């Protein structure tokens, strides 16, 4: 059973407060995808009156990381997770509500299965695409997640 959005949002409140208080929320999560959202406001804007890039990064990372956490949870194994690299592209000013979608759940599930079976660390690139309310892409983030079985 996948983690629920409410569980992930509670996790951010206590473990990632900057993410929570900037307005980032998980909207949905399945085995294959995760959707997060954040609304541009005075508390998360840059001097150019658009959303600060780091807030977009938090929302994008959560879209990928929640899938990693959910797959680890579902595996029942003790697995560590860490971002090794990331890439970002900004294509439009981020204003209004920005929604990040990651559809790489099956890829990370495979990496976690391999690390549980072999004990060897695995890496997996995951992409989160941020769109505004008109459906226009405002930013794209890619994160290289590393997973490794503990002990």
């Amino acid at each position: 059973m996948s983690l629920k959005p409410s569980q992930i949002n509670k996790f951010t409140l206590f473990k990632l407060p900057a993410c929570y208080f900037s307005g980032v929320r998980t909207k949905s999560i399945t085995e294959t995808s995760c959707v997060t959202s954040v609304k541009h406001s005075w508390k998360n804007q840059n001097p150019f009156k658009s959303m600060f890039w780091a807030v977009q990064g938090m929302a994008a990372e959560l879209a990928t990381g929640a899938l990693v956490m959910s797959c680890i949870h579902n595996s029942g194994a003790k697995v560590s997770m860490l971002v090794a690299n990331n890439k970002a592209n900004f294509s439009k000013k981020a204003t209004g509500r920005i929604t990040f979608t990651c559809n790489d759940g099956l890829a990370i599930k495979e990496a976690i299965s391999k690390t549980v079976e072999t004990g060897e660390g695995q890496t997996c690139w995951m992409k989160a695409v941020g769109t505004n309310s008109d459906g226009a892409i405002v930013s794209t983030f890619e994160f290289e997640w590393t997973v490794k079985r503990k002990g």
Side-chain angles (χ1 to χ4, degrees), residues 34-139:
C34 182
V35 177
T36 61
S37 180
V38 60
K39 186 175 181 183
H40 170 245
S41 71
W42 68 269
K43 62 185 172 185
N44 62 23
Q45 75 178 1
N46 60 28
F48 310 106
K49 302 210 185 296
S50 64
M51 192 178 298
F52 185 51
W53 71 268
V55 174
Q56 293 178 67
M58 286 189 288
E61 184 180 358
L62 184 60
T64 63
L67 283 171
V68 180
M69 290 188 311
S70 184
C71 286
I72 290 171
H73 175 78
N74 292 343
S75 77
K78 291 187 177 191
V79 176
S80 63
M81 57 188 274
L82 184 67
V83 171
N85 289 292
N86 77 305
K87 303 175 200 172
N89 181 47
F90 302 91
S91 50
K92 188 170 176 69
K93 196 171 185 175
T95 58
R97 181 160 299 279
I98 308 301
T99 302
F100 287 89
T101 304
C102 177
N103 294 311
D104 295 327
L106 295 180
I108 194 62
K109 182 178 181 181
E110 183 178 324
I112 291 168
S113 293
K114 280 184 183 176
T115 197
V116 169
E117 288 173 21
T118 67
E120 296 177 13
Q122 302 291 318
T123 64
C124 179
W125 279 95
M126 299 175 76
K127 179 170 39 173
V129 178
T131 57
N132 64 18
S133 57
D134 294 332
I137 295 174
V138 298
S139 58

Side-chain angles (χ1 to χ4, degrees), residues 15-16 22 28-29 32-33 49 59 62-64 91 93 101 121:
K15 299 292 185 180
L16 302 168
S22 66
S28 67
I29 186 166
T32 59
S33 69
K49 302 210 185 296
L62 184 60
T64 63
S91 50
K93 196 171 185 175
T101 304

